[in-house]
Amino acid sequence: MNFEDVKDKKPKKIGELIDRSEESDNYIVKVAEDKVYELAPIAYYIWAMCDGNRSVDEIVNELSKEANLDISQVRDPVVMVLDELEKASLITF
């Protein structure tokens, strides 16, 4: 997955937050009764932004502003996280 291919797509999250891990700062997201994932804070934050209304480009821009980083520093990591979330069936495009 690369940015140019997905920048205009609007990912939508699947599943629901059920808890925060006590041992770490990770978030527990349930997709189905037998499918539960533990997400690192940044992955959870990106997942939570996938509301079906924001494009990948808008997510990158928003994260870049909030983290006070250049868009070029944020773009590839965001696309990588979205790719992993899609593989885990936690988002759909």
Side-chain angles (χ1 to χ4, degrees), residues 48-93:
M49 291 176 77
C50 295
D51 58 8
N53 296 316
R54 289 184 186 99
S55 69
V56 172
D57 192 39
E58 290 168 325
I59 291 170
V60 166
N61 284 320
E62 201 170 315
L63 272 173
S64 134
K65 283 181 194 145
E66 288 186 25
N68 212 12
L69 294 168
D70 190 72
I71 286 174
S72 64
Q73 293 175 281
V74 176
R75 187 179 298 133
D76 288 345
V78 167
V79 170
M80 189 178 74
V81 168
L82 290 171
D83 191 38
E84 292 301 315
L85 290 171
E86 184 182 33
K87 286 178 185 167
S89 301
L90 285 165
I91 62 167
T92 183
F93 283 100

Side-chain angles (χ1 to χ4, degrees), residues 29-45:
V29 174
K30 180 171 91 171
V31 179
E33 283 306 315
D34 59 344
K35 229 176 172 180
V36 176
Y37 293 95
E38 190 170 330
L39 300 180
I42 188 62
Y44 170 76
Y45 188 68

Side-chain angles (χ1 to χ4, degrees), residues 4-17:
E4 288 304 314
D5 292 341
V6 297
K7 70 178 182 179
D8 296 323
K9 292 187 176 183
K10 296 180 177 182
K12 180 143 179 57
K13 66 185 173 210
I14 299 169
E16 61 180 314
L17 174 67

